[in-house]
Amino acid sequence: MTDVVALAPRVDRGTPLLGVPTGRPMLSWKTETAAPDWLQAAYEIDVTDAAGEALWQSGRVDSEESVCVGWAGPALASRQRARARVRVWGVDGSASDWSAPADFETALLDPTEWTADFITPAWEEDASVSNPPPIFRRTFAVPAAVTTGRLYATALGIYEVRVNGAIVGDRVLAPGWSSYNKRLRTQTYDVTGAVHAGENTIEVTVADGWYRGFLAWGGKRNTYGTQAGLLVQLELLLADGTSQTVVSDGEWTVATGPVWKADIYNGEHYDARVVASDWGPVAVLEHDRSVLIADDAPPVRQTEELRPVEIVTTPSGKTVVDFGQNLVGWTRITVNADPGTTITLRHAEVLEGGEICTAPLRNAQATDVYVARGDPDETWEPRFTFHGFRYVEVDGWPGPLGVGDIVALACHSDMTRTGRFASSNDMVNQLHENVVWGMRGNFVDVPTDCPQRDERLGWTGDIQVFSPAGSFLFDTDAFLASWLADLAADQLPDGVVQFVIPAVLGDHTPTAAWGDAATLIPWTLYQRYGDAALLERQYPSMRAWVECLRSRLDERHLWSRGFQFGDWLDPAAPQEDPSAARADKHLVATAHVARSATVLAESAAVLGKVDDVAQYRELAATVTAAFRDEFVTPTGRLMSDCQTAYGLAIVFDLLEGDQRRRAGDRLAQLVAADDYCIATGFVGTPLVCDALCATGHVDVAYQLFLQTKCPSWLYPITMGATTIWERWDSMRPDGSVSSSGMTSFNHYALGAVADWMHRTVAGLAPAAPGYKAITIAPRPGGDLTAASAELDTPYGLAASRWRIDGDGFEVEAVVPPNTRATVIPPNGAGPSVEVGSGTHTWRWPA
């Protein structure tokens, strides 16, 4: 019998195994086997508690389902430890042994289980400025050795916990950024080894963070509140069989310490000579506990260290460190200096005229200051800020700065890397790497637009267009599910989706492509991860958005009124008005109504909501017909004769009959007329290559894709870019920086083309939710002689690799167990082939 191995199941959405945020987690598993065409026939799930007592045994279940399998046993309680394992049978009669177990423990799942109080300093502060972060302190005695220690914590601000002087955990910027007044996430830590018998001390620093620090532009502060707050619950099980709980309450004390200013935009100032003293009283802070939820997002962590590639002296005599990569995080320094020596670190993404260019930061100071204590080899890094930078200007360093004295620490939400791409074209490979780094830098607890200036907000339009690419590169299921929960929480009663989530800019009117994040992102996650539970959870939000759109339609069923961002940052738009694109704004808006209604109908079909399927299909058909009547001639010419308009009409399937072919021909003509340069903004850029390929113009798509003149995807590569830019010309050919007042060199939206690279250039695409069925359909073009994409799907590794060798075109497909793939040769070189799991190779004439 063929060997079949079931792997340890994934619990829920891959959130940490300590602090699982639900008592009914989904389970998913992968199977490894060398057997070709292997398909699962049945499975069995076994869940026990920490003592080995049965909690849930499914028995043999005849099903091929192995992804996001719903919890059918009794709900787990808070703090409950469990061990889950699975075994499978194949349709070929094979059977696996029990998998390795997944050991996990639930968080505090009910807000009423918190007995702690929120505490805040009893002193008065000037809330209009940055104040030194308070350090909350409690000393307590433990009568016996600790067998299990759990620390549950959150804060109104950014917190860091130390127990007996050691930092607890490896996450940073906790509790992250959510819609605090509706969803305040709590974290779970294992402190078993940190707490000991005898006297112990816990200290927690709480900085302003997103809660009350500077946020958005215009010097706005205190978005969620004016007082820093801490909530801590330490629960200990002791070797003598007793338990002990230490909670935040009026018994704690508070002081300030070496951090005398910490702000996300402006940086951190630290005086190592200062030791916290003059401990004073705390006050109990009234705060709604019903908003407490167990953390459902991956933690932000330091994920990589980068050494300097060069240290230069600028024309003005400044010392500047070049890390060779635009990144997000901060630096760690090691210095030998006299006491009181002040070292200043200023961060920037680019150089202009040989000096760091800080104009794109606007009002963000992005400056860290360290005052030395005078010890040998003092090492310091900030803990309560982050910067977007490649270059650091260092001032006040004692003596010459060496490459070993400073390192950059890349920080972002610690999602699992799942997808990779490579090709025979080095510039294309660099473009893809820039997309990856842009995603890493902007997935810092929320999907931000940029990580460096006084903004860093969760713009809905940016992540809506990028989510397909992002969900290939990294496992974004838990990350975006958490953000979508905030989107729903901040959605207005009439269904309007805010421009940014968490919503910190005030209430807004509905806007196409941006608000459509409510429908299109859940659908993307369902397609990529098979997560129907998320689709079910978000469905009320999705429906509310589409009903909001229905209410905005005029008597002709068009969305013809109100503010729109349109095809934002079309390169033809004037710098002072990025929404003034070539594409008609109301064409863009109406197209998105049809698309969202279609997606909602398809989602309703998945969820068995029969009545909704009918009504939203009817709405989509009505709006599509109105779109054609208003914007499309019988021969397929669009009233708004531009690339974005044709891309929308083709990809959103808004045309009928021969209109589609004619529209594709016209799109190809427009691309050629623009000398194969980009003529699209945020809305059109993700669609144009797909629209060309779908209508038989693969060669034109490649000419556009491989263009190096400005504006193009590869132009920034010629200028040394290591991330995706906000504007096509953020840096001009002469090295000068756009002076628009809105220029970022790390802005992932235009990197949405990576999704086309994965699906079309390499040829790897989902054909059923979660990649249960896969399409392998590479479309070679341009000067590329090879390309590949690999993805760790929910079922296992899938890959599409091709190369042109002499007169032959060779394709290799890797298909994971329990799936099937359809392989479509390029250019009609042969018939389509359906294959099962295994590695398959074909060769056709080039």
Side-chain angles (χ1 to χ4, degrees), residues 505-530:
L505 297 182
D507 294 345
H508 297 114
T509 59
T511 309
W514 275 249
D516 293 286
T519 51
L520 302 187
I521 295 177
W523 185 246
T524 293
L525 296 181
Y526 173 64
Q527 293 297 317
R528 299 305 173 94
Y529 303 111

Side-chain angles (χ1 to χ4, degrees), residues 24 54 119 151 167 210 280 362 381 399 485 505 558 580 636 690 787 802 846:
R24 294 184 175 276
I119 56 175
L151 178 72
I167 295 175
W210 297 279
R362 298 194 304 215
E381 64 186 82
L505 297 182
L558 302 169
D690 270 315
W802 64 264

Side-chain angles (χ1 to χ4, degrees), residues 279-326:
W279 296 92
V282 301
V284 172
L285 182 65
E286 292 299 323
H287 197 277
D288 182 8
R289 290 190 181 159
S290 70
V291 303
L292 297 176
I293 62 163
D295 204 341
D296 55 356
V300 178
R301 291 191 176 104
Q302 296 177 6
T303 61
E304 187 172 347
E305 290 189 7
L306 289 85
R307 301 284 174 178
V309 298
E310 188 178 16
I311 298 176
V312 301
T313 301
T314 73
S316 67
K318 300 289 187 180
T319 298
V320 171
V321 182
D322 178 6
F323 288 100
Q325 172 65 55
N326 197 12

Side-chain angles (χ1 to χ4, degrees), residues 231-558:
L231 185 72
V232 164
Q233 192 155 305
L234 174 63
E235 299 182 354
L236 306 174
L237 297 178
L238 307 181
D240 62 6
T242 64
S243 62
Q244 182 177 1
T245 301
V246 178
V247 300
S248 50
D249 57 21
E251 298 300 312
W252 288 53
T253 56
V254 65
T256 58
V259 182
W260 56 276
K261 185 168 71 171
D263 182 81
I264 287 175
Y265 292 169
N266 296 329
E268 183 173 324
H269 294 196
Y270 189 99
D271 189 339
R273 299 169 300 175
V274 176
V275 177
S277 59
D278 297 327
W279 296 92
V282 301
V284 172
L285 182 65
E286 292 299 323
H287 197 277
D288 182 8
R289 290 190 181 159
S290 70
V291 303
L292 297 176
I293 62 163
D295 204 341
D296 55 356
V300 178
R301 291 191 176 104
Q302 296 177 6
T303 61
E304 187 172 347
E305 290 189 7
L306 289 85
R307 301 284 174 178
V309 298
E310 188 178 16
I311 298 176
V312 301
T313 301
T314 73
S316 67
K318 300 289 187 180
T319 298
V320 171
V321 182
D322 178 6
F323 288 100
Q325 172 65 55
N326 197 12
L327 66 123
V328 173
W330 51 79
T331 59
R332 178 192 297 142
I333 60 173
T334 302
V335 64
N336 291 277
D338 293 334
T341 300
T342 299
I343 298 166
T344 302
L345 310 168
R346 299 177 68 208
H347 301 78
E349 293 185 298
V350 295
L351 301 180
E352 187 176 29
E355 308 286 347
I356 63 168
C357 181
T358 59
L361 304 179
R362 298 194 304 215
N363 291 320
Q365 296 174 11
T367 300
D368 296 330
V369 176
Y370 180 71
V371 181
R373 184 170 51 251
D375 294 343
D377 294 329
E378 292 180 53
T379 298
W380 175 79
E381 64 186 82
R383 306 291 294 181
F384 306 107
T385 188
F386 65 90
H387 311 291
F389 66 100
R390 171 176 170 171
Y391 301 93
V392 178
E393 181 185 280
V394 182
D395 183 56
W397 195 268
L401 178 68
V403 294
D405 297 330
I406 184 169
V407 297
L409 304 172
C411 301
H412 57 86
S413 292
D414 194 10
M415 305 164 292
T416 301
R417 180 74 185 270
T418 51
R420 300 183 185 277
F421 171 91
S423 79
S424 58
N425 185 309
D426 289 341
M427 293 186 72
V428 169
N429 295 341
Q430 184 63 52
L431 170 65
H432 193 266
E433 187 69 4
N434 290 5
V435 176
V436 173
W437 274 99
M439 180 175 177
R440 290 176 66 181
N442 281 291
F443 276 53
V444 181
D445 208 64
V446 301
T448 58
D449 59 326
C450 61
Q452 70 298 99
R453 66 179 178 233
D454 55 345
E455 190 166 353
R456 314 185 198 187
L457 305 177
W459 283 94
T460 49
D462 300 46
I463 187 58
Q464 185 268 115
V465 299
F466 185 75
S467 59
S471 295
F472 182 97
L473 298 173
F474 289 87
D475 181 353
T476 64
D477 195 18
F479 178 93
L480 288 177
S482 181
W483 182 80
L484 284 168
D486 286 317
L487 182 149
D490 282 339
Q491 202 165 355
L492 299 182
D494 62 355
V496 171
V497 174
Q498 303 292 289
F499 294 166
V500 300
I501 300 296
V504 296
L505 297 182
D507 294 345
H508 297 114
T509 59
T511 309
W514 275 249
D516 293 286
T519 51
L520 302 187
I521 295 177
W523 185 246
T524 293
L525 296 181
Y526 173 64
Q527 293 297 317
R528 299 305 173 94
Y529 303 111
D531 192 347
L534 175 64
L535 206 61
E536 179 78 59
R537 191 196 75 184
Q538 291 299 124
Y539 189 81
S541 166
M542 299 167 73
R543 193 178 190 277
W545 170 246
V546 173
E547 286 300 322
C548 171
L549 297 182
R550 189 202 296 268
S551 72
R552 263 61 178 187
L553 298 177
D554 63 20
E555 66 281 358
R556 296 171 298 158
H557 306 291
L558 302 169

